[in-house]
Amino acid sequence: MKKFLSIGLVLSLIAAFSSCSSKPDDLPVSQNASATKSISVIAAAGNTTTSEITFNLSDFAALSQYAKWVESALVQTTSAISVGGVTSIQVVELTNVKLSLKSNSKANLDLPTITANASFKELPQLNFLQKVLDEVVNKGTSTVVLTYRATNDITTSVMFSMKIDGKFSF
């Protein structure tokens, strides 16, 4: 008799705890959300510079109501890595441009030499952004390390941006 009582108590506790973590009734199947992060690139000629860009799940504002139920995300083709602010007045040449995940340096992306405003949104760049998005979903955060070498002094602000558009599933 005590065995049945114990089993009944355990089942009651399981039911009580599982109802606390249930998904809300208005939870969509999926939702699109976007986040953009930018950093200023100012460097002295010949120097190699490293900067970090961190994405958090909370950066995807459209998810705020449902963030804790995100199960996966798929990067969208509107996502891009871009460089802006390069003018004809200033000579900009960034070489050895590399992006990598801080948590896994083997997950990296080499970009070509940058001498003008550019947007990178081909398959290799989208694959890298998918790795960033996967880490954001799994860990809540992802830090990207940007490394580059400036062959000329960069004295006016050149902006390096990462825009991640994702379709999030719950």
Side-chain angles (χ1 to χ4, degrees):
M1 182 69 172
K2 286 183 180 180
K3 194 176 197 179
F4 289 119
L5 206 51
S6 297
I7 292 173
L9 180 62
V10 169
L11 290 175
S12 296
L13 288 172
I14 291 172
F17 285 116
S18 66
S19 66
C20 293
S21 64
S22 65
K23 296 179 179 181
D25 293 336
D26 65 340
L27 184 68
V29 173
S30 65
Q31 184 171 357
N32 292 331
S34 185
T36 302
K37 293 285 183 125
S38 300
I39 59 168
S40 182
V41 175
I42 296 178
N47 286 347
T48 298
T49 304
T50 299
S51 300
E52 293 184 355
I53 302 170
T54 300
F55 283 93
N56 297 302
L57 191 56
S58 60
D59 294 331
F60 296 86
L63 299 177
S64 62
Q65 186 177 356
Y66 305 114
K68 75 181 205 179
W69 292 285
V70 172
E71 293 178 358
S72 64
L74 182 63
V75 73
Q76 301 298 292
T77 57
T78 52
S79 301
I81 299 167
S82 59
V83 176
V86 179
T87 64
S88 59
I89 298 170
Q90 183 178 25
V91 177
V92 172
E93 185 175 27
L94 302 176
T95 61
N96 302 328
V97 182
K98 183 176 186 172
L99 296 169
S100 61
L101 294 182
K102 186 174 184 177
S103 64
N104 178 8
S105 61
K106 291 181 181 179
N108 61 60
L109 172 69
D110 292 319
L111 293 176
T113 297
I114 298 171
T115 58
N117 295 329
S119 184
F120 305 100
K121 48 187 171 182
E122 301 294 325
L123 189 57
Q125 292 87 28
L126 294 175
N127 285 337
F128 180 78
L129 292 175
Q130 181 64 55
K131 291 175 186 174
V132 174
L133 197 53
D134 289 343
E135 192 170 62
V136 168
V137 168
N138 294 327
K139 297 180 179 178
T141 188
S142 179
T143 300
V144 176
V145 178
L146 167 65
T147 305
Y148 58 89
R149 183 175 184 278
T151 56
N152 303 305
D153 287 335
I154 300 175
T155 55
T156 59
S157 184
V158 173
M159 297 302 292
F160 184 90
S161 301
M162 296 176 64
K163 176 185 175 215
I164 302 177
D165 295 329
K167 182 176 184 179
F168 294 79
S169 298
F170 306 98

